[in-house]
Amino acid sequence: MIEATVGEGGANRADDVRTVQWLLLRGGIEPGGIDGIAGPRLIAAIRVAQDRFGIEPDGRIDPGGTTLTRLRAAPARWDGDSSNWPQERKLASLHPKFRPRVVAVIARLRAERFRPAIVYGWRSVAVQDRLFRAGSSKVRFSFHNAQTPDGLPAAWAADLVDERWYWREPDAHVFFRALGRVAKAEGLVWGGDWKFRDWAHVQGRPNGDLAAVRRQSGA
Ligand SMILES: [Zn+2]
């Protein structure tokens, strides 16, 4: 799960730091960012977690150590709405093979003077279940819910709007048409092409992959 020590005096490999940042956030402790950088806020957050677990706080997390074990076992406390996350966190919540393509779509849309914003990147299975029961989503598990076997975000879908219009017509449609064109040029699937139009939705895998992604997600 992590390969080397993270935090105070640690090796702080970027991938390991990101993993620890997600684990802290999932446990309800704000790590500062999901950026792979071990700064003072991350070390302070590790100390908060250790204090909560009754572990002498040293601000570091070792592979196979007690703090890591406790963090992984802690119940998820992020069933709040991830649509409220900052944009960088929403981007960080996308699968590493999907994220650069969304970044490219956003850059192309900005070059066309749009103001693209991600509404949903990853969202938890619990939030998906709420949307499903409210009739806002047709499925219990979507590509938005894809995660690592440890339950950390790795979404294969993102919903993008223009921050001036969101879903407000008629302007929104100008944006969604551009989104569809640009997303498909990046090899993505666009929800606007579906029978039940999902204008803001782009995904990095075909619908036929959903069962496999769900299995890998342990959901
Ligand atoms: Zn979507």
Side-chain angles (χ1 to χ4, degrees):
M1 148 134 264
I2 66 171
E3 289 182 15
T5 300
V6 169
E8 191 77 62
N12 292 318
R13 294 175 63 258
D15 285 347
D16 291 344
V17 172
R18 258 190 295 274
T19 298
V20 167
Q21 288 172 322
W22 277 129
L23 284 169
L24 288 161
L25 186 70
R26 180 174 67 176
I29 299 167
E30 180 54 57
I34 311 290
D35 54 8
I37 297 166
R41 286 199 64 182
L42 176 67
I43 290 166
I46 292 171
R47 288 174 177 276
V48 168
Q50 290 173 321
D51 195 50
R52 182 190 289 176
F53 298 145
I55 299 165
E56 186 63 37
D58 61 3
R60 50 184 286 155
I61 294 187
D62 299 311
T66 312
T67 308
L68 185 62
T69 306
R70 295 291 299 271
L71 268 179
R72 291 179 69 182
R77 291 205 200 168
W78 62 11
D79 287 341
D81 197 338
S82 56
S83 67
N84 295 323
W85 285 357
Q87 287 291 307
E88 316 82 74
R89 184 172 296 166
K90 291 176 184 177
L91 264 181
S93 78
L94 307 181
H95 191 285
K97 289 185 178 152
F98 176 52
R99 191 186 310 135
R101 294 153 80 189
V102 173
V103 168
V105 165
I106 288 172
R108 283 180 185 228
L109 290 167
R110 284 208 182 117
E112 295 185 23
R113 310 251 172 232
F114 290 106
R115 284 164 41 188
I118 301 173
V119 177
Y120 268 117
W122 178 84
R123 61 182 175 241
S124 71
V125 170
V127 167
Q128 181 70 27
D129 194 53
R130 281 209 289 282
L131 293 174
F132 177 79
R133 278 183 283 124
S136 304
S137 178
K138 305 221 176 301
V139 289
R140 275 194 186 277
F141 181 91
S142 81
F143 284 105
H144 286 286
N145 307 125
Q147 55 192 28
T148 69
D150 266 307
L152 305 182
W156 279 102
D159 298 332
L160 283 91
V161 296
D162 187 297
E163 65 184 9
R164 293 166 293 184
W165 311 314
Y166 282 72
W167 281 271
R168 194 174 67 240
E169 299 293 1
D171 303 287
H173 231 76
V174 180
F175 173 79
F176 290 140
R177 289 286 173 204
L179 172 65
R181 168 172 45 80
V182 165
K184 285 187 270 186
E186 285 292 331
L188 301 177
V189 175
W190 177 48
D193 285 334
W194 297 343
K195 187 173 168 207
F196 300 103
R197 311 272 188 191
D198 197 351
W199 301 112
H201 178 98
V202 298
Q203 67 187 42
R205 307 272 296 255
N207 282 337
D209 286 0
L210 188 61
V213 168
R214 184 176 190 160
R215 268 196 308 280
Q216 287 156 11
S217 300

